[in-house]
Amino acid sequence: MGLLSCSISETITPSLLFFLFSFIGFGTATFNVTTLAFDEGYNPLFGDGNLVRSPDGHSVRLLLDVYTGSGFISSRMYQHGFFSAKIKLPSDYTAGIVVAFYTSNGDVFEKNHDELDIEFLGNIESKPWRFQTNVYGNGSTNRGREERYNLWFDPSKEFHRYSILWTAKNIIFYVDEVPIREVVRNDAMGGDYPSKPMSLYATIWDASSWATNGGKYKVNYEYAPFTSEFKDLVLDGCAIDPIQKFPNSPACSETDTWLESRDYAIITPKSRSAMRRFRQRYMYYSYCYDNVRYPITPPECAVDSNEKQRFRNTGRLRFGGSHRKQARMERARRKRRSRAASVSDDQTDM
């Protein structure tokens, strides 16, 4: 990354981002979506004691403490869909923390899983949250397709909607109603384009090894518990049994047609212009311009000459990889905590 780009991404503050936002004109219409109560579409995934439902059942808090993180998963798997939630992130010192909102089928297709990620990366106090998006298809975890961004607001102060649209034709990532990234399927991608049914996941966990400045800053549990909040949950798509109906069933054709006609599936000229402005101002890394990792540009990349010039010399960032690996890390961490607690109890009994 060029020196100017590094300086901007390191020193820009939430208040300055808000100031800039007021001149950018991202305004877009609110999506027409139907929200679900937690129990209508989701189940706890891990850290049950750190998953707290609201009294009305329409929102949920995920906590990370010294013992465990937490997460939830959709009750069904989906062959394409629109996955969305309003999320508020932890505040103050959040270095080493990752809050993830993503789709995956790693529990079913262990050797050739698909995955679509929105991952929020914590930071030291007074430094803003950052986030990244990623796409994996058919187990292609050695070919990460990361992009990283700043935000034009403080995501720990209020709720904002984050969404993933996945169709047979394209993938769109949204912040509020602003499209920030589109991946258009083409034949050259082959199996790297996600094609198998996926579940929706949301998690908070300790990613001290890489999340903040490449692992320089770790989670500080003096600030625990760290709390992320989710509400106005949306699951639009074709719920399917991944084993019985994949891949030769036409069961989802009508739902796919409906999904592709929805307002969130159509990038208007106005919203495409908003996406271009967002990427010009707030994207600080894209794999499409990382010649260190990819001397040959990946086939789905639509190279923009201005972006290419701005992102020359990239290739110095550290990434966490697929959530299948991260799930193993979380399980190992919980086992270490459990063993330490057991040893402490034994010593107390002595």
Side-chain angles (χ1 to χ4, degrees):
M1 190 184 307
L3 178 60
L4 179 59
S5 297
C6 286
S7 175
I8 291 174
S9 66
E10 290 293 338
T11 61
I12 197 164
T13 64
S15 58
L16 179 56
L17 288 171
F18 182 82
F19 177 80
L20 291 171
F21 166 64
S22 64
F23 292 95
I24 291 175
F26 279 159
T28 54
T30 302
F31 292 143
N32 180 20
V33 294
T34 300
T35 61
L36 298 173
F38 182 82
D39 289 338
E40 290 180 308
Y42 309 87
N43 292 315
L45 178 64
F46 69 97
D48 289 7
N50 281 0
L51 186 153
V52 183
R53 296 173 178 85
S54 64
D56 66 4
H58 283 268
S59 64
V60 62
R61 290 186 295 158
L62 297 181
L63 280 64
L64 168 68
D65 59 26
V66 69
Y67 299 104
T68 184
S70 53
F72 62 85
I73 183 174
S74 60
S75 306
R76 304 288 302 276
M77 299 186 78
Y78 293 83
Q79 181 64 40
H80 307 133
F82 180 73
F83 311 93
S84 184
K86 288 186 177 179
I87 304 172
K88 186 164 70 171
L89 301 177
S91 59
D92 301 321
Y93 186 98
T94 56
I97 296 171
V98 167
V99 175
F101 185 78
Y102 66 102
T103 64
S104 179
N105 48 36
D107 290 339
V108 177
F109 303 99
E110 294 186 1
K111 295 183 179 180
N112 60 339
H113 86 287
D114 306 306
E115 188 172 306
L116 300 171
D117 296 331
I118 297 177
E119 296 176 306
F120 301 97
L121 312 177
N123 216 329
I124 60 175
E125 202 161 7
S126 80
K127 295 289 186 178
W129 280 86
R130 300 173 180 180
F131 76 109
Q132 67 180 26
T133 60
N134 206 348
V135 176
Y136 295 109
N138 206 36
S140 58
T141 55
N142 63 326
R143 294 188 294 278
R145 290 175 162 83
E146 296 92 348
E147 289 189 346
R148 284 192 178 178
Y149 325 85
N150 290 300
L151 287 162
W152 64 91
F153 52 82
D154 184 343
S156 69
K157 298 300 184 185
E158 57 187 11
F159 285 92
H160 288 267
R161 182 169 292 284
Y162 305 90
S163 310
I164 302 170
L165 172 70
W166 168 47
T167 76
K169 299 176 181 178
N170 65 343
I171 297 160
I172 305 174
F173 295 91
Y174 284 96
V175 175
D176 290 325
E177 282 71 39
V178 179
I180 63 165
R181 177 183 183 182
E182 181 183 26
V183 178
V184 178
R185 183 177 193 169
N186 64 49
D187 292 340
M189 289 186 72
D192 282 5
Y193 189 90
S195 61
K196 299 181 291 298
M198 291 191 278
S199 300
L200 183 280
Y201 295 77
T203 59
I204 183 171
W205 59 289
D206 184 329
S208 291
S209 63
W210 66 274
T212 307
N213 287 46
K216 179 179 179 180
Y217 299 104
K218 314 296 184 183
V219 175
N220 184 345
Y221 285 100
E222 292 183 3
Y223 294 86
F226 304 96
T227 303
S228 55
E229 300 179 66
F230 297 76
K231 69 176 185 177
D232 293 349
L233 302 160
V234 177
L235 288 173
D236 281 349
C238 183
I240 192 171
D241 185 317
I243 303 301
Q244 294 180 1
K245 295 184 178 180
F246 177 81
N248 297 315
S249 172
C252 289
S253 58
E254 290 187 9
T255 306
D256 282 352
T257 300
W258 173 84
L259 188 69
E260 292 169 12
S261 70
R262 305 293 291 166
D263 52 359
Y264 48 66
I266 300 169
I267 301 184
T268 65
K270 181 179 179 180
S271 56
R272 191 166 294 280
S273 179
M275 179 167 66
R276 187 179 305 112
R277 289 193 295 273
F278 171 87
R279 294 173 68 81
Q280 288 173 348
R281 288 164 171 81
Y282 300 118
M283 183 171 72
Y284 68 91
Y285 173 86
S286 173
Y287 74 103
C288 287
Y289 305 106
D290 190 339
N291 294 326
V292 175
R293 295 172 74 193
Y294 302 108
I296 299 175
T297 302
E300 71 278 7
C301 291
V303 175
D304 180 288
S305 58
N306 291 328
E307 286 185 356
K308 185 175 182 178
Q309 176 66 17
R310 184 158 57 97
F311 291 119
R312 68 187 187 280
N313 302 325
T314 55
R316 306 296 189 271
L317 297 182
R318 187 174 181 182
F319 303 99
S322 162
H323 277 273
R324 289 199 67 242
K325 176 182 177 182
Q326 294 164 4
R328 291 194 297 270
M329 291 169 59
E330 176 64 26
R331 287 195 295 270
R333 176 175 171 269
R334 294 201 301 273
K335 288 180 180 178
R336 288 196 299 271
R337 294 289 185 188
S338 178
R339 286 197 296 267
S342 177
V343 169
S344 176
D345 291 343
D346 290 343
Q347 291 175 343
T348 300
D349 292 340
M350 292 172 64

mmCIF file of all heavy atoms in Angstrom, residues 182-219:
data_model
loop_
_atom_site.group_PDB
_atom_site.id
_atom_site.type_symbol
_atom_site.label_atom_id
_atom_site.label_comp_id
_atom_site.label_asym_id
_atom_site.label_seq_id
_atom_site.Cartn_x
_atom_site.Cartn_y
_atom_site.Cartn_z
ATOM 1 N N GLU A 182 -19.298 -5.964 -5.059
ATOM 2 C CA GLU A 182 -20.039 -6.925 -5.866
ATOM 3 C C GLU A 182 -19.066 -7.889 -6.523
ATOM 4 O O GLU A 182 -18.056 -7.469 -7.097
ATOM 5 C CB GLU A 182 -20.870 -6.221 -6.943
ATOM 6 C CG GLU A 182 -21.682 -7.192 -7.795
ATOM 7 C CD GLU A 182 -22.455 -6.527 -8.922
ATOM 8 O OE1 GLU A 182 -22.013 -5.444 -9.379
ATOM 9 O OE2 GLU A 182 -23.462 -7.093 -9.366
ATOM 10 N N VAL A 183 -19.355 -9.174 -6.436
ATOM 11 C CA VAL A 183 -18.601 -10.207 -7.137
ATOM 12 C C VAL A 183 -19.551 -10.832 -8.152
ATOM 13 O O VAL A 183 -20.561 -11.436 -7.778
ATOM 14 C CB VAL A 183 -18.071 -11.292 -6.180
ATOM 15 C CG1 VAL A 183 -17.328 -12.374 -6.957
ATOM 16 C CG2 VAL A 183 -17.168 -10.674 -5.118
ATOM 17 N N VAL A 184 -19.251 -10.659 -9.421
ATOM 18 C CA VAL A 184 -20.090 -11.195 -10.489
ATOM 19 C C VAL A 184 -19.516 -12.534 -10.944
ATOM 20 O O VAL A 184 -18.325 -12.642 -11.249
ATOM 21 C CB VAL A 184 -20.164 -10.212 -11.678
ATOM 22 C CG1 VAL A 184 -21.014 -10.802 -12.807
ATOM 23 C CG2 VAL A 184 -20.746 -8.869 -11.230
ATOM 24 N N ARG A 185 -20.365 -13.538 -10.965
ATOM 25 C CA ARG A 185 -19.918 -14.879 -11.347
ATOM 26 C C ARG A 185 -19.519 -14.905 -12.813
ATOM 27 O O ARG A 185 -20.185 -14.324 -13.672
ATOM 28 C CB ARG A 185 -21.048 -15.884 -11.100
ATOM 29 C CG ARG A 185 -20.653 -17.325 -11.399
ATOM 30 C CD ARG A 185 -21.790 -18.266 -11.052
ATOM 31 N NE ARG A 185 -21.375 -19.651 -11.038
ATOM 32 C CZ ARG A 185 -22.113 -20.646 -10.566
ATOM 33 N NH1 ARG A 185 -23.319 -20.382 -10.068
ATOM 34 N NH2 ARG A 185 -21.667 -21.876 -10.571
ATOM 35 N N ASN A 186 -18.404 -15.559 -13.093
ATOM 36 C CA ASN A 186 -18.039 -15.825 -14.483
ATOM 37 C C ASN A 186 -17.450 -17.230 -14.597
ATOM 38 O O ASN A 186 -17.055 -17.839 -13.596
ATOM 39 C CB ASN A 186 -17.088 -14.762 -15.042
ATOM 40 C CG ASN A 186 -15.743 -14.730 -14.333
ATOM 41 O OD1 ASN A 186 -15.097 -15.756 -14.141
ATOM 42 N ND2 ASN A 186 -15.317 -13.533 -13.933
ATOM 43 N N ASP A 187 -17.406 -17.752 -15.806
ATOM 44 C CA ASP A 187 -16.997 -19.143 -16.014
ATOM 45 C C ASP A 187 -15.573 -19.404 -15.551
ATOM 46 O O ASP A 187 -15.248 -20.512 -15.102
ATOM 47 C CB ASP A 187 -17.138 -19.523 -17.493
ATOM 48 C CG ASP A 187 -18.584 -19.571 -17.951
ATOM 49 O OD1 ASP A 187 -19.465 -19.685 -17.074
ATOM 50 O OD2 ASP A 187 -18.829 -19.475 -19.169
ATOM 51 N N ALA A 188 -14.711 -18.394 -15.640
ATOM 52 C CA ALA A 188 -13.304 -18.592 -15.278
ATOM 53 C C ALA A 188 -13.124 -18.852 -13.787
ATOM 54 O O ALA A 188 -12.129 -19.444 -13.377
ATOM 55 C CB ALA A 188 -12.480 -17.375 -15.700
ATOM 56 N N MET A 189 -14.080 -18.442 -12.960
ATOM 57 C CA MET A 189 -13.987 -18.705 -11.527
ATOM 58 C C MET A 189 -14.165 -20.184 -11.214
ATOM 59 O O MET A 189 -13.632 -20.677 -10.215
ATOM 60 C CB MET A 189 -15.059 -17.915 -10.761
ATOM 61 C CG MET A 189 -14.820 -16.430 -10.693
ATOM 62 S SD MET A 189 -16.039 -15.616 -9.612
ATOM 63 C CE MET A 189 -15.477 -16.163 -7.991
ATOM 64 N N GLY A 190 -14.919 -20.897 -12.028
ATOM 65 C CA GLY A 190 -15.141 -22.316 -11.789
ATOM 66 C C GLY A 190 -15.753 -22.536 -10.421
ATOM 67 O O GLY A 190 -16.672 -21.842 -9.991
ATOM 68 N N GLY A 191 -15.207 -23.505 -9.683
ATOM 69 C CA GLY A 191 -15.720 -23.836 -8.359
ATOM 70 C C GLY A 191 -15.400 -22.821 -7.293
ATOM 71 O O GLY A 191 -15.863 -22.960 -6.156
ATOM 72 N N ASP A 192 -14.604 -21.798 -7.603
ATOM 73 C CA ASP A 192 -14.301 -20.770 -6.604
ATOM 74 C C ASP A 192 -15.513 -19.897 -6.290
ATOM 75 O O ASP A 192 -15.485 -19.129 -5.323
ATOM 76 C CB ASP A 192 -13.150 -19.886 -7.078
ATOM 77 C CG ASP A 192 -11.794 -20.570 -6.904
ATOM 78 O OD1 ASP A 192 -11.784 -21.751 -6.503
ATOM 79 O OD2 ASP A 192 -10.771 -19.933 -7.178
ATOM 80 N N TYR A 193 -16.560 -19.977 -7.111
ATOM 81 C CA TYR A 193 -17.790 -19.247 -6.799
ATOM 82 C C TYR A 193 -18.659 -20.138 -5.912
ATOM 83 O O TYR A 193 -18.946 -21.279 -6.261
ATOM 84 C CB TYR A 193 -18.550 -18.887 -8.071
ATOM 85 C CG TYR A 193 -19.713 -17.952 -7.823
ATOM 86 C CD1 TYR A 193 -19.536 -16.573 -7.879
ATOM 87 C CD2 TYR A 193 -20.984 -18.444 -7.520
ATOM 88 C CE1 TYR A 193 -20.591 -15.704 -7.641
ATOM 89 C CE2 TYR A 193 -22.039 -17.589 -7.274
ATOM 90 C CZ TYR A 193 -21.842 -16.217 -7.339
ATOM 91 O OH TYR A 193 -22.901 -15.367 -7.097
ATOM 92 N N PRO A 194 -19.082 -19.665 -4.739
ATOM 93 C CA PRO A 194 -19.875 -20.496 -3.825
ATOM 94 C C PRO A 194 -21.135 -21.028 -4.492
ATOM 95 O O PRO A 194 -21.872 -20.269 -5.127
ATOM 96 C CB PRO A 194 -20.212 -19.536 -2.684
ATOM 97 C CG PRO A 194 -19.128 -18.502 -2.727
ATOM 98 C CD PRO A 194 -18.798 -18.333 -4.172
ATOM 99 N N SER A 195 -21.366 -22.327 -4.339
ATOM 100 C CA SER A 195 -22.485 -22.940 -5.067
ATOM 101 C C SER A 195 -23.320 -23.891 -4.226
ATOM 102 O O SER A 195 -24.389 -24.317 -4.676
ATOM 103 C CB SER A 195 -21.943 -23.708 -6.285
ATOM 104 O OG SER A 195 -21.057 -24.739 -5.874
ATOM 105 N N LYS A 196 -22.865 -24.236 -3.031
ATOM 106 C CA LYS A 196 -23.568 -25.230 -2.215
ATOM 107 C C LYS A 196 -24.343 -24.543 -1.085
ATOM 108 O O LYS A 196 -23.986 -23.447 -0.664
ATOM 109 C CB LYS A 196 -22.559 -26.227 -1.648
ATOM 110 C CG LYS A 196 -21.801 -27.006 -2.733
ATOM 111 C CD LYS A 196 -20.819 -28.004 -2.150
ATOM 112 C CE LYS A 196 -19.619 -27.366 -1.468
ATOM 113 N NZ LYS A 196 -18.789 -26.560 -2.385
ATOM 114 N N PRO A 197 -25.400 -25.171 -0.573
ATOM 115 C CA PRO A 197 -26.209 -24.556 0.485
ATOM 116 C C PRO A 197 -25.357 -24.159 1.689
ATOM 117 O O PRO A 197 -24.446 -24.885 2.082
ATOM 118 C CB PRO A 197 -27.208 -25.656 0.855
ATOM 119 C CG PRO A 197 -27.303 -26.508 -0.360
ATOM 120 C CD PRO A 197 -25.928 -26.497 -0.969
ATOM 121 N N MET A 198 -25.701 -23.008 2.279
ATOM 122 C CA MET A 198 -24.948 -22.500 3.418
ATOM 123 C C MET A 198 -25.886 -22.081 4.541
ATOM 124 O O MET A 198 -27.041 -21.734 4.313
ATOM 125 C CB MET A 198 -24.085 -21.306 3.003
ATOM 126 C CG MET A 198 -22.925 -21.664 2.089
ATOM 127 S SD MET A 198 -21.731 -20.320 1.865
ATOM 128 C CE MET A 198 -22.545 -19.342 0.594
ATOM 129 N N SER A 199 -25.354 -22.096 5.756
ATOM 130 C CA SER A 199 -26.027 -21.549 6.933
ATOM 131 C C SER A 199 -25.498 -20.145 7.199
ATOM 132 O O SER A 199 -24.406 -19.777 6.757
ATOM 133 C CB SER A 199 -25.768 -22.422 8.165
ATOM 134 O OG SER A 199 -26.241 -23.737 7.987
ATOM 135 N N LEU A 200 -26.268 -19.370 7.944
ATOM 136 C CA LEU A 200 -25.837 -18.049 8.399
ATOM 137 C C LEU A 200 -25.278 -18.183 9.810
ATOM 138 O O LEU A 200 -25.877 -18.841 10.674
ATOM 139 C CB LEU A 200 -27.014 -17.077 8.379
ATOM 140 C CG LEU A 200 -26.799 -15.599 8.753
ATOM 141 C CD1 LEU A 200 -26.751 -15.374 10.257
ATOM 142 C CD2 LEU A 200 -25.534 -15.033 8.110
ATOM 143 N N TYR A 201 -24.141 -17.577 10.071
ATOM 144 C CA TYR A 201 -23.494 -17.590 11.378
ATOM 145 C C TYR A 201 -23.245 -16.153 11.852
ATOM 146 O O TYR A 201 -23.014 -15.240 11.050
ATOM 147 C CB TYR A 201 -22.121 -18.268 11.308
ATOM 148 C CG TYR A 201 -22.103 -19.727 10.978
ATOM 149 C CD1 TYR A 201 -22.286 -20.171 9.667
ATOM 150 C CD2 TYR A 201 -21.865 -20.685 11.969
ATOM 151 C CE1 TYR A 201 -22.248 -21.520 9.351
ATOM 152 C CE2 TYR A 201 -21.824 -22.036 11.661
ATOM 153 C CZ TYR A 201 -22.010 -22.450 10.351
ATOM 154 O OH TYR A 201 -21.974 -23.798 10.040
ATOM 155 N N ALA A 202 -23.249 -15.978 13.170
ATOM 156 C CA ALA A 202 -22.765 -14.745 13.792
ATOM 157 C C ALA A 202 -21.961 -15.145 15.019
ATOM 158 O O ALA A 202 -22.418 -15.975 15.820
ATOM 159 C CB ALA A 202 -23.918 -13.825 14.171
ATOM 160 N N THR A 203 -20.763 -14.580 15.175
ATOM 161 C CA THR A 203 -19.888 -14.978 16.270
ATOM 162 C C THR A 203 -19.092 -13.782 16.789
ATOM 163 O O THR A 203 -18.892 -12.792 16.083
ATOM 164 C CB THR A 203 -18.881 -16.068 15.832
ATOM 165 O OG1 THR A 203 -18.077 -15.556 14.736
ATOM 166 C CG2 THR A 203 -19.587 -17.330 15.367
ATOM 167 N N ILE A 204 -18.637 -13.896 18.022
ATOM 168 C CA ILE A 204 -17.620 -13.003 18.567
ATOM 169 C C ILE A 204 -16.565 -13.890 19.190
ATOM 170 O O ILE A 204 -16.880 -14.846 19.905
ATOM 171 C CB ILE A 204 -18.208 -12.005 19.600
ATOM 172 C CG1 ILE A 204 -17.111 -11.043 20.096
ATOM 173 C CG2 ILE A 204 -18.886 -12.724 20.751
ATOM 174 C CD1 ILE A 204 -17.659 -9.893 20.943
ATOM 175 N N TRP A 205 -15.273 -13.599 18.910
ATOM 176 C CA TRP A 205 -14.227 -14.502 19.373
ATOM 177 C C TRP A 205 -12.877 -13.796 19.441
ATOM 178 O O TRP A 205 -12.710 -12.676 18.932
ATOM 179 C CB TRP A 205 -14.154 -15.739 18.488
ATOM 180 C CG TRP A 205 -13.879 -15.485 17.038
ATOM 181 C CD1 TRP A 205 -14.724 -14.929 16.124
ATOM 182 C CD2 TRP A 205 -12.672 -15.778 16.320
ATOM 183 N NE1 TRP A 205 -14.107 -14.861 14.891
ATOM 184 C CE2 TRP A 205 -12.865 -15.374 14.984
ATOM 185 C CE3 TRP A 205 -11.458 -16.365 16.692
ATOM 186 C CZ2 TRP A 205 -11.877 -15.517 14.003
ATOM 187 C CZ3 TRP A 205 -10.475 -16.515 15.710
ATOM 188 C CH2 TRP A 205 -10.698 -16.091 14.398
ATOM 189 N N ASP A 206 -11.945 -14.444 20.094
ATOM 190 C CA ASP A 206 -10.594 -13.920 20.305
ATOM 191 C C ASP A 206 -9.728 -14.282 19.112
ATOM 192 O O ASP A 206 -9.417 -15.447 18.872
ATOM 193 C CB ASP A 206 -10.016 -14.536 21.589
ATOM 194 C CG ASP A 206 -8.652 -13.984 21.967
ATOM 195 O OD1 ASP A 206 -7.881 -13.610 21.056
ATOM 196 O OD2 ASP A 206 -8.331 -13.966 23.172
ATOM 197 N N ALA A 207 -9.315 -13.261 18.349
ATOM 198 C CA ALA A 207 -8.443 -13.451 17.187
ATOM 199 C C ALA A 207 -7.160 -12.653 17.378
ATOM 200 O O ALA A 207 -6.676 -11.983 16.468
ATOM 201 C CB ALA A 207 -9.159 -13.035 15.903
ATOM 202 N N SER A 208 -6.612 -12.740 18.590
ATOM 203 C CA SER A 208 -5.428 -11.949 18.940
ATOM 204 C C SER A 208 -4.254 -12.181 18.003
ATOM 205 O O SER A 208 -3.396 -11.310 17.838
ATOM 206 C CB SER A 208 -4.999 -12.254 20.385
ATOM 207 O OG SER A 208 -5.929 -11.772 21.315
ATOM 208 N N SER A 209 -4.196 -13.357 17.382
ATOM 209 C CA SER A 209 -3.030 -13.699 16.560
ATOM 210 C C SER A 209 -2.938 -12.888 15.283
ATOM 211 O O SER A 209 -1.866 -12.825 14.673
ATOM 212 C CB SER A 209 -3.061 -15.195 16.218
ATOM 213 O OG SER A 209 -4.199 -15.508 15.431
ATOM 214 N N TRP A 210 -4.044 -12.216 14.858
ATOM 215 C CA TRP A 210 -3.967 -11.528 13.569
ATOM 216 C C TRP A 210 -4.869 -10.299 13.419
ATOM 217 O O TRP A 210 -4.628 -9.457 12.544
ATOM 218 C CB TRP A 210 -4.328 -12.493 12.430
ATOM 219 C CG TRP A 210 -5.764 -12.969 12.457
ATOM 220 C CD1 TRP A 210 -6.252 -14.024 13.154
ATOM 221 C CD2 TRP A 210 -6.882 -12.394 11.779
ATOM 222 N NE1 TRP A 210 -7.603 -14.145 12.955
ATOM 223 C CE2 TRP A 210 -8.028 -13.162 12.113
ATOM 224 C CE3 TRP A 210 -7.044 -11.307 10.921
ATOM 225 C CZ2 TRP A 210 -9.301 -12.879 11.619
ATOM 226 C CZ3 TRP A 210 -8.324 -11.019 10.428
ATOM 227 C CH2 TRP A 210 -9.431 -11.804 10.783
ATOM 228 N N ALA A 211 -5.893 -10.137 14.247
ATOM 229 C CA ALA A 211 -6.965 -9.191 13.928
ATOM 230 C C ALA A 211 -6.538 -7.723 13.951
ATOM 231 O O ALA A 211 -7.030 -6.926 13.155
ATOM 232 C CB ALA A 211 -8.149 -9.403 14.874
ATOM 233 N N THR A 212 -5.654 -7.338 14.869
ATOM 234 C CA THR A 212 -5.302 -5.922 15.032
ATOM 235 C C THR A 212 -3.811 -5.731 14.793
ATOM 236 O O THR A 212 -2.983 -6.259 15.529
ATOM 237 C CB THR A 212 -5.674 -5.422 16.439
ATOM 238 O OG1 THR A 212 -7.057 -5.727 16.694
ATOM 239 C CG2 THR A 212 -5.461 -3.923 16.555
ATOM 240 N N ASN A 213 -3.494 -4.995 13.728
ATOM 241 C CA ASN A 213 -2.100 -4.754 13.347
ATOM 242 C C ASN A 213 -1.308 -6.048 13.228
ATOM 243 O O ASN A 213 -0.188 -6.156 13.743
ATOM 244 C CB ASN A 213 -1.421 -3.800 14.335
ATOM 245 C CG ASN A 213 -1.894 -2.365 14.187
ATOM 246 O OD1 ASN A 213 -3.091 -2.108 14.092
ATOM 247 N ND2 ASN A 213 -0.958 -1.427 14.153
ATOM 248 N N GLY A 214 -1.923 -7.036 12.591
ATOM 249 C CA GLY A 214 -1.232 -8.304 12.348
ATOM 250 C C GLY A 214 -0.922 -9.089 13.604
ATOM 251 O O GLY A 214 -0.023 -9.925 13.614
ATOM 252 N N GLY A 215 -1.651 -8.838 14.701
ATOM 253 C CA GLY A 215 -1.422 -9.551 15.952
ATOM 254 C C GLY A 215 -0.586 -8.778 16.958
ATOM 255 O O GLY A 215 -0.298 -9.297 18.052
ATOM 256 N N LYS A 216 -0.244 -7.548 16.636
ATOM 257 C CA LYS A 216 0.580 -6.741 17.560
ATOM 258 C C LYS A 216 -0.174 -6.464 18.856
ATOM 259 O O LYS A 216 0.410 -6.483 19.953
ATOM 260 C CB LYS A 216 0.980 -5.424 16.894
ATOM 261 C CG LYS A 216 1.818 -4.509 17.782
ATOM 262 C CD LYS A 216 2.197 -3.231 17.043
ATOM 263 C CE LYS A 216 3.015 -2.305 17.936
ATOM 264 N NZ LYS A 216 3.386 -1.048 17.222
ATOM 265 N N TYR A 217 -1.473 -6.194 18.751
ATOM 266 C CA TYR A 217 -2.282 -5.886 19.926
ATOM 267 C C TYR A 217 -3.249 -7.038 20.197
ATOM 268 O O TYR A 217 -3.966 -7.480 19.304
ATOM 269 C CB TYR A 217 -3.063 -4.590 19.721
ATOM 270 C CG TYR A 217 -2.166 -3.387 19.495
ATOM 271 C CD1 TYR A 217 -1.998 -2.849 18.222
ATOM 272 C CD2 TYR A 217 -1.482 -2.806 20.554
ATOM 273 C CE1 TYR A 217 -1.174 -1.757 18.006
ATOM 274 C CE2 TYR A 217 -0.651 -1.713 20.356
ATOM 275 C CZ TYR A 217 -0.503 -1.196 19.084
ATOM 276 O OH TYR A 217 0.322 -0.116 18.881
ATOM 277 N N LYS A 218 -3.266 -7.512 21.439
ATOM 278 C CA LYS A 218 -4.066 -8.672 21.830
ATOM 279 C C LYS A 218 -5.334 -8.235 22.563
ATOM 280 O O LYS A 218 -5.479 -7.084 22.971
ATOM 281 C CB LYS A 218 -3.248 -9.592 22.751
ATOM 282 C CG LYS A 218 -1.826 -9.874 22.293
ATOM 283 C CD LYS A 218 -1.774 -10.630 20.981
ATOM 284 C CE LYS A 218 -0.321 -10.978 20.622
ATOM 285 N NZ LYS A 218 -0.220 -11.668 19.308
ATOM 286 N N VAL A 219 -6.240 -9.200 22.761
ATOM 287 C CA VAL A 219 -7.418 -8.940 23.580
ATOM 288 C C VAL A 219 -6.978 -8.676 25.017
ATOM 289 O O VAL A 219 -6.172 -9.418 25.584
ATOM 290 C CB VAL A 219 -8.388 -10.137 23.539
ATOM 291 C CG1 VAL A 219 -9.556 -9.894 24.504
ATOM 292 C CG2 VAL A 219 -8.921 -10.356 22.126
#
